[in-house]
Amino acid sequence: MQRIELAPGYDISRVIRGGWQMASGHGALRSEDPVADMVAFADAGITTFDCADIYTGVEELIGRFRLKYRELRGADALRKIKVHTKFVPDLDVLPRITKAYVESVIDQSLRRLNLERLDLVQFHWWDYDHPRWLDSAVWLEELRRAGKIDRVSATNFDTDHMLAMVEAGVPLTSMQVQYSLLDSRPQKRMVEAAGKYGVWLFCYGTVAGGFLGDRWLGMAEPADALENRSLIKYRLIIDDLGGWDWFQALLRALRTVADRHGVDIATIASAAMLERDRVAAVIVGARNRSHLASNLAISSVALTADDHAAIGAVLDQAKPLEGDVYTLERDRHGRHGSIMKYNLNKGAA
């Protein structure tokens, strides 16, 4: 498993185990022992875990995993484990948010994760019309200086707001963004700005909720309701880019590349993103360890010029998505924003 140093003394695996699919409300957990699954991922070299205060039950699960891993492998092994959580204040809270509220949620994550200091906190804000987003970022930086957070980061901010935080004295380590073969919006401005200010990108959605996988190759356009909001959101992206026939052409190209490397389509889709400028890691959603081998393969696949040309020939036919990072999703009344849930942290603090 490849590793990368984000800052002096802070290194992570380039494949991150995502936690959203383990949250209650996302469907059946599909694992008899999720803690044992996390131990298997860590032992295999995927030592970085992504979660959030709004992923119901996931911080607690990872907290139990950390205790178990120390028991099984010792304190030295535990120090290699990095947990990246998120601070996601509810939409209803934004007009009246205070530093005390921010600190109370951070304290809650510390308790859930059994940590004395959070490794990395990724800040999300639903609505820029509520102006305390910058205050909140500064408060997180103050909590970092107080020793409650090691690294302050963010997720789903556009380029202008990312730059505003950096210029306000918040040294962002990373920005978690939806960035995939289907969504190239970060390439418009964010990649260049991130390079200028030393911000790394974490990519989620690299397999588009499962659409970029062998399961959908040759399948007719789905007519029935999709399984979860993740599939619904990426289906909208596919429609915007060019529709189902175009998407099938992309899957055929990916299958050809995957055949050359002896892996599956999902592995190629994620491996391609690891080769993009400023990308530190890709986040893979996993409900259990059944796909661990393919998750490990992501960091060992090196795409050739012919591979990139085959994929690029189809991507070049797509219509560009509108706006900067997360612009479409911020319209709460639009197709992309109306499917989101905005108040998942109720009672959190």
Side-chain angles (χ1 to χ4, degrees), residues 8-237:
Y10 195 97
D11 70 296
I12 64 168
S13 54
R14 294 201 71 199
V15 175
I16 297 174
R17 165 80 186 271
W20 183 48
Q21 294 194 42
M22 295 189 293
S24 62
H26 190 75
L29 188 57
R30 298 181 186 176
S31 175
E32 295 181 357
D33 192 341
V35 170
D37 287 338
M38 285 184 268
V39 170
F41 272 78
D43 284 348
I46 298 177
T47 58
T48 311
F49 296 82
D50 178 83
C51 60
D53 50 16
I54 61 171
Y55 298 173
T56 307
V58 177
E59 285 185 326
E60 291 93 335
L61 269 177
I62 295 177
R64 294 203 297 273
F65 152 69
R66 292 188 67 261
L67 295 177
K68 186 66 175 180
Y69 204 67
R70 181 174 60 191
E71 175 188 328
L72 293 173
R73 306 291 184 256
D76 287 343
L78 182 62
R79 278 191 279 273
K80 296 180 181 178
I81 303 298
K82 294 292 189 295
V83 180
H84 297 172
T85 193
K86 301 181 188 71
F87 168 61
V88 187
D90 285 351
L91 178 64
D92 290 348
V93 170
L94 304 189
R96 51 188 170 81
I97 196 167
T98 63
K99 183 180 178 180
Y101 176 85
V102 175
E103 186 167 13
S104 69
V105 177
I106 295 302
D107 287 343
Q108 176 179 257
S109 292
L110 286 166
R111 291 191 299 271
R112 288 172 170 176
L113 290 165
N114 291 307
L115 282 165
E116 294 181 359
R117 180 177 65 179
L118 297 177
D119 295 326
L120 184 144
V121 174
Q122 300 164 111
F123 170 43
H124 174 85
W125 191 263
W126 291 115
D127 189 343
Y128 295 142
D129 287 340
H130 297 294
R132 292 186 181 179
W133 60 270
L134 187 55
D135 292 331
S136 298
V138 171
W139 293 332
L140 287 170
E141 170 59 12
E142 291 173 356
L143 292 173
R144 185 193 69 81
R145 294 177 184 175
K148 292 193 174 187
I149 301 169
D150 190 356
R151 317 297 308 180
V152 173
S153 294
T155 181
N156 292 331
F157 280 87
D158 61 24
T159 306
D160 287 337
H161 289 79
M162 178 186 76
L163 292 174
M165 285 188 281
V166 172
E167 291 165 359
V170 181
L172 297 177
T173 297
S174 61
M175 180 68 68
Q176 185 179 140
V177 291
Q178 183 172 293
Y179 193 14
S180 69
L181 295 176
L182 294 180
D183 188 349
S184 61
R185 286 177 289 177
Q187 291 175 201
K188 294 181 180 181
R189 297 179 58 217
M190 182 167 284
V191 169
E192 182 179 357
K196 181 177 180 181
Y197 289 96
V199 179
W200 293 99
L201 301 182
F202 298 155
C203 302
Y204 72 85
T206 57
V207 298
F211 271 124
L212 289 174
D214 288 279
R215 170 190 171 188
W216 293 97
L217 177 61
M219 293 287 288
E221 186 171 2
D224 298 330
L226 294 166
E227 180 183 355
N228 54 55
R229 281 188 297 118
S230 181
L231 287 172
I232 294 170
K233 68 179 285 190
Y234 292 114
R235 174 60 197 278
L236 293 174
I237 294 289

Side-chain angles (χ1 to χ4, degrees), residues 270-283:
S270 293
M273 301 314 298
L274 278 186
E275 299 186 4
R276 298 288 177 94
D277 190 30
R278 295 310 299 175
V279 170
V282 297
I283 301 167

